[in-house]
Amino acid sequence: MPLGATIAKAKVMDWVPGAHASTFGGNPLSCVAAIAVIAAIKEEKLLDNATKQGAHIMKRLGELEEDCDIVGDLRGKGLMIGMEIVEDKKGKKPAPKKATEIMTRSWKRGINVITCGASTIRVAPPLVITRELVDSALDIIEDVTKEVAKEA
């Protein structure tokens, strides 16, 4: 069920009543679904899992960053992580063709990552991801990234 909300500072939200509406705001069925999702996130400790798995992903990709000349930067929090792909570490010139190649080869091997920005690989697994699946996915991402780096 779609659900939308707008949150901003008071100086931005100081509008005349009726000046703003949300297509998906206030739908009772969507609100009930949102409450159920929030309850599941709390009960299943999915935010704890995101923190734990995200730290593990950052550690593994950090090791890849050290070993691989086309990984220019690594950033993220929880399970939203970006790995910037560059021509070389010194110049840090974005390498969009290499990023696209990493994304395509990962997909062909069963891992769905997407590109974003100039040349960043976005790793954003679901909140319920297990360590076993994280490691399997990272093995593929690491192999593919090293393959692309060797071809440069």
Side-chain angles (χ1 to χ4, degrees), residues 2 24 41 67 76 82 88 91 102 107 109 111 115 120 123 142 150:
F24 300 118
I41 288 170
D67 295 341
D88 64 82
I102 291 167
W107 178 76
R109 292 184 56 188
I111 300 303
T115 57
T120 298
V123 178
E142 289 171 3
K150 285 180 185 174

Side-chain angles (χ1 to χ4, degrees), residues 1-4 22-37:
M1 299 296 311
L3 181 65
S22 171
T23 301
F24 300 118
N27 178 306
L29 185 56
S30 294
C31 291
V32 169
I35 290 168
V37 168

Side-chain angles (χ1 to χ4, degrees), residues 37-90:
V37 168
I38 291 168
I41 288 170
K42 287 179 178 179
E43 289 169 18
E44 297 176 32
K45 297 181 172 78
L46 296 182
L47 296 181
D48 291 341
N49 189 56
T51 299
K52 189 162 100 176
Q53 301 307 337
H56 180 67
I57 294 168
M58 290 292 284
K59 179 182 178 290
R60 293 253 332 245
L61 291 180
E63 293 166 0
L64 178 63
E65 180 183 15
E66 289 176 14
D67 295 341
C68 193
D69 199 42
I70 67 169
V71 179
D73 187 33
L74 185 61
R75 55 192 171 270
K77 184 173 184 175
L79 290 174
M80 178 67 81
I81 296 168
M83 179 175 72
E84 184 182 21
I85 305 302
V86 296
E87 293 296 335
D88 64 82
K89 284 191 193 296
K90 276 188 180 177

